[in-house]
Amino acid sequence: ALEWFGELGFEVVFGPDIAPEGEYTEREDYSDIILAERLKDALGRINPKMPSSAIEDAYRQISIPQSPSLLMNNKAFQKMITDGIDVSVKQADASYRTEKVYVFDYEKPLNNELMVANQFTIVEHGVEKRPDLIVFVNGIPLVVVELKSAIDENVDISDAYNQLQTYKSVIPSLFTYNAFMVTSDGINARAGTLTSDEDRFMAWRTIDGDGTAPVSIPQLEVLIKGMFQRDRFLDIIKHFILFQTDGKDTFKILAGYHQYHAVNKAVDSTERATH
């Protein structure tokens, strides 16, 4: 899996290397979920005209959740990455105006820093967990990947799903920023959201959208190369995740591969027609 991410241009990092006592530490404490310097550098790079006070304000809004509800914090963060973050900026006449700081650069995908870490230890309320893979964009953990061995007859993809549910309950801060989650047992691979039941975790069956991938290619490879290609990954994050409510409960929904590619083909044909 790490090799496949590497082929897509992700920086591959060994979690212990950037741990608090690691050789290239990027975390002050094992409870730190965000890689602070990476995020601050990215905010400054993506918003070069913003004063440092505005960048600090945006960083604070990202790093300090406002609700006791994990799902509401996740929804608020989704709004930040789609709409930008409102900050107050002092003008030349000493007045203040609300402006936007953007977390990701959707116009220039290469301006974002993509990273995947394995063995990234998290300690929260005295509980220590180590998810298999965590995908970061600009220092923010957006995707958690849980993998089970294909050669262990005692575990399957349901165990990977159940492990993610455990993580949600004991290290919930990791999921404040979660876009979606991935499970695999070495044969099957699925993606779903914070609120997805196991049967709503769905396979991603195409790499380029031009046809279903042959069964000879592992499902996990298809999912990684189909969802995490840089432009496509950012597009999914911004345009293909939504929250809905039935009046009582709130649900987070991730588009399936067929919905994603159907929309993009319709957009492409419309653009060709207008030209």
Side-chain angles (χ1 to χ4, degrees):
L2 291 171
E3 288 179 6
W4 293 326
F5 276 109
E7 289 175 26
L8 295 174
F10 281 70
E11 178 188 1
V12 177
V13 171
F14 184 46
D17 286 347
I18 60 171
E21 66 273 11
E23 190 173 355
Y24 310 102
T25 183
E26 296 188 38
R27 309 167 67 196
E28 292 184 6
D29 192 272
Y30 281 106
S31 63
D32 293 339
I33 301 300
I34 288 174
L35 303 177
E37 292 309 311
R38 288 184 187 246
L39 176 53
K40 290 177 182 178
D41 288 347
L43 292 173
R45 184 173 66 249
I46 294 167
N47 306 275
K49 295 181 180 178
M50 285 290 168
S52 59
S53 59
I55 298 299
E56 282 293 334
D57 184 14
Y59 174 79
R60 181 188 55 77
Q61 290 189 54
I62 294 168
S63 60
I64 304 175
Q66 298 300 304
S67 171
S69 163
L70 169 61
L71 189 59
M72 289 304 100
N73 287 329
N74 189 263
K75 184 178 180 182
F77 178 69
Q78 181 68 25
K79 189 172 190 301
M80 290 182 191
I81 63 177
T82 52
D83 299 351
I85 301 171
D86 288 336
V87 295
S88 187
V89 178
K90 191 173 185 177
Q91 306 300 305
D93 62 0
S95 65
Y96 284 85
R97 188 172 74 187
T98 299
E99 298 188 26
K100 295 280 190 183
V101 167
Y102 295 96
V103 186
F104 303 143
D105 193 333
Y106 298 105
E107 300 297 318
K108 301 175 184 174
L110 288 172
N111 205 21
N112 301 285
E113 186 178 64
L114 273 57
M115 182 192 113
V116 59
N118 67 323
Q119 301 297 307
F120 188 93
T121 299
I122 297 160
V123 178
E124 189 165 348
H125 303 306
V127 178
E128 177 178 315
K129 292 295 179 183
R130 198 173 295 109
D132 288 326
L133 304 179
I134 302 177
V135 177
F136 293 81
V137 179
N138 298 339
I140 301 174
L142 290 191
V143 179
V144 179
V145 182
E146 188 63 19
L147 308 170
K148 296 301 178 186
S149 172
I151 60 174
D152 188 342
E153 296 177 359
N154 297 314
V155 297
D156 59 18
I157 199 164
S158 292
D159 293 282
Y161 172 84
N162 292 333
Q163 186 70 65
L164 288 172
Q165 306 315 302
T166 298
Y167 292 155
K168 274 168 45 183
S169 66
V170 299
I171 49 170
S173 60
L174 175 61
F175 296 90
T176 297
Y177 312 99
N178 186 264
F180 57 91
M181 298 176 280
V182 174
T183 60
S184 179
D185 59 4
I187 299 169
N188 305 291
R190 305 279 187 269
T193 74
L194 283 177
T195 63
S196 299
D197 293 332
E198 186 177 359
D199 62 358
R200 296 303 299 171
F201 269 65
M202 309 296 282
W204 195 275
R205 300 188 184 280
T206 180
I207 290 176
D208 55 14
D210 289 332
T212 302
V215 294
S216 58
I217 303 177
Q219 282 191 20
L220 184 59
E221 181 178 2
V222 174
L223 188 150
I224 289 173
K225 293 182 177 178
M227 296 188 79
F228 290 93
Q229 186 274 335
R230 184 182 295 259
D231 296 28
R232 199 176 301 133
F233 182 33
L234 292 167
D235 191 30
I236 289 170
I237 290 167
K238 184 173 184 181
H239 295 119
F240 291 88
I241 292 172
L242 61 88
F243 288 81
Q244 286 186 340
T245 180
D246 60 4
K248 181 167 72 97
D249 296 312
T250 297
F251 303 94
K252 185 176 185 179
I253 300 169
L254 168 69
Y257 75 96
H258 53 294
Q259 298 162 321
Y260 174 81
H261 288 290
V263 168
N264 276 305
K265 285 177 180 176
V267 170
D268 287 345
S269 63
T270 301
E271 288 179 348
R272 284 197 295 273
T274 57
H275 285 77

